[in-house]
Amino acid sequence: MIADGLILMNDEVSSTSFRVSRVAIGRDNFLGNDVTYPAGGRTGDNVLLGTKVMVPLEGAVHEGVGLLGSPPFEIPRTVERDTQFDHLRTGEALRRGLAAKNRYNLRTIGLFLFTRWVGVFLFALLYLAAIELYGVLPHVVSAVLFASSIVITAVYFTLVHRCVETLHPVRPTICSIYHPDFWSVERQWKVHPIHYLHAFDGTPFKNVLWRLMGVRMGRRVFDDGTHIPEPSLTAIGDDCVLNYRSKIQCHSQEDGTFKCDRTAVGAGCTIGIDALVHYGVTMGDGATLATDSFLMKGEDVPPGARWGGNPAREM
């Protein structure tokens, strides 16, 4: 199973040469978010590669274990808490679960296509109206319509996400991936307008959109391109800085088990470029998370502290 953000690196470039190699991933592997897997990775079958893990290139081949961190270290492949749903992964229970999930996914596909079509229509209507009226009315009218085509469409997409979330609110939970609670969260990921929201990175309007989606967003927050998959579980204090490609992720998914919990970022915090904050985390006021760090689930960062690394620790 592959989570979001996997990158397969099968090329190597130096100042004098270029080489392309095969990338091979063993059977029954689970790859977490933001994993870069290079050619020659020393992992075999039945390996869990945790979020942002550095894949080992030397030493013995790892099999039947989990890997986490940078540099990587071994952890148990499966924790006992996740085995409570093993009975849903085989036999008749699996067949029924897959059939029900496929039906749910078909409805999600229909919802996604319809809402995206309406969004494109709304954008095109305003944009084409601006072009048609350019030589008829004062140019300021066309300028307003051009700007409105972007802003109104963004508001529409965020309200679509909020409506979908309202029908089945996200709450802290542990459940199987064959449970409707997970399916509803997965549907919200599908209709999430993050790619459209990036048009407003670095502007105050981005915070307005996050509030519309359910984030408890403070004042004077500078968002230069963060991603928040579960807005209603996220709280961010005043005067925070959220850097480019950072992520506040209030969920985890491993071995057929889905887990999510609330995350709170205090006032005056800084989350570095490409850093990831996991679920159940509390960052005290004025805390800093360094670039490319992974703040693991359940961590409590003291006020004013500076943490970094993978997994993140006090620096």
Side-chain angles (χ1 to χ4, degrees), residues 19-43:
R19 180 174 66 179
V20 177
S21 308
R22 292 187 181 274
V23 175
I25 299 177
R27 293 184 298 107
D28 301 321
N29 275 226
F30 180 96
L31 284 78
N33 291 352
D34 300 335
V35 174
T36 299
Y37 198 100
R42 304 292 288 171
T43 64

Side-chain angles (χ1 to χ4, degrees), residues 157-172:
F157 281 135
T158 56
L159 290 179
V160 166
H161 183 281
R162 187 63 180 270
C163 289
V164 171
E165 199 271 341
T166 300
L167 292 175
H168 199 145
V170 182
R171 297 184 177 88

Side-chain angles (χ1 to χ4, degrees), residues 8-309:
L8 298 178
M9 297 283 291
N10 58 1
D11 66 296
E12 299 175 73
V13 182
S14 73
S15 60
T16 59
S17 60
F18 171 81
R19 180 174 66 179
V20 177
S21 308
R22 292 187 181 274
V23 175
I25 299 177
R27 293 184 298 107
D28 301 321
N29 275 226
F30 180 96
L31 284 78
N33 291 352
D34 300 335
V35 174
T36 299
Y37 198 100
R42 304 292 288 171
T43 64
D45 298 338
N46 193 32
V47 178
L48 183 147
L49 299 170
T51 294
K52 294 178 75 71
V53 69
M54 185 181 79
V55 178
L57 293 172
E58 299 176 346
V61 175
H62 299 270
E63 291 189 339
V65 298
L67 294 176
L68 187 68
S70 178
F73 55 89
E74 291 189 355
I75 60 173
R77 173 62 176 84
T78 302
V79 296
E80 184 177 354
R81 180 180 59 179
D82 294 345
T83 62
Q84 60 183 306
F85 303 114
D86 281 355
H87 64 285
L88 300 175
R89 300 169 60 185
T90 58
E92 183 63 19
L94 176 62
R95 189 192 66 79
R96 291 197 306 268
L98 282 175
K101 190 175 190 304
N102 287 336
R103 292 192 297 270
Y104 196 96
N105 287 345
L106 285 174
R107 296 194 293 271
T108 298
I109 291 171
L111 175 66
F112 176 86
L113 292 176
F114 175 75
T115 56
R116 286 304 193 262
W117 180 86
V118 172
V120 171
F121 175 80
L122 182 63
F123 177 85
L125 180 66
L126 294 169
Y127 192 86
L128 292 176
I131 294 175
E132 289 295 324
L133 296 174
Y134 186 77
V136 179
L137 297 176
H139 292 174
V140 67
V141 176
S142 293
V144 170
L145 288 173
F146 279 129
S148 298
S149 65
I150 299 175
V151 174
I152 292 177
T153 307
V155 172
Y156 161 76
F157 281 135
T158 56
L159 290 179
V160 166
H161 183 281
R162 187 63 180 270
C163 289
V164 171
E165 199 271 341
T166 300
L167 292 175
H168 199 145
V170 182
R171 297 184 177 88
T173 186
I174 300 177
C175 67
S176 167
I177 61 172
Y178 300 109
H179 192 281
D181 284 349
F182 169 68
W183 303 344
S184 66
V185 176
E186 194 176 37
R187 174 176 288 177
Q188 292 171 42
W189 296 341
K190 299 295 188 295
V191 300
H192 198 299
I194 183 58
H195 298 296
Y196 198 87
L197 295 187
H198 282 317
F200 304 94
D201 289 349
T203 70
F205 190 64
K206 180 80 174 291
N207 297 338
V208 175
L209 296 175
W210 280 132
R211 292 188 186 102
L212 286 176
M213 292 177 65
V215 178
R216 288 169 289 170
M217 180 72 71
R219 297 171 297 171
R220 300 179 302 277
V221 173
F222 178 73
D223 178 359
D224 199 30
T226 195
H227 179 27
I228 305 175
E230 294 83 23
S232 61
L233 295 181
T234 307
I236 299 172
D238 299 339
D239 303 306
C240 288
V241 174
L242 313 176
N243 275 282
Y244 177 66
R245 287 180 54 87
S246 61
K247 182 181 292 187
I248 303 175
Q249 178 181 301
C250 298
H251 76 271
S252 179
Q253 183 185 342
E254 301 152 16
D255 288 339
T257 302
F258 172 74
K259 293 158 273 191
C260 66
D261 201 355
R262 303 185 187 279
T263 289
V265 178
C269 289
T270 298
I271 298 178
I273 296 172
D274 206 28
L276 190 147
V277 179
H278 223 185
Y279 69 94
V281 165
T282 300
M283 292 184 65
D285 294 349
T288 298
L289 181 63
T291 295
D292 200 29
S293 298
F294 176 30
L295 186 55
M296 292 187 61
K297 59 187 179 185
E299 292 283 12
D300 191 349
V301 181
R306 178 178 175 82
W307 283 39

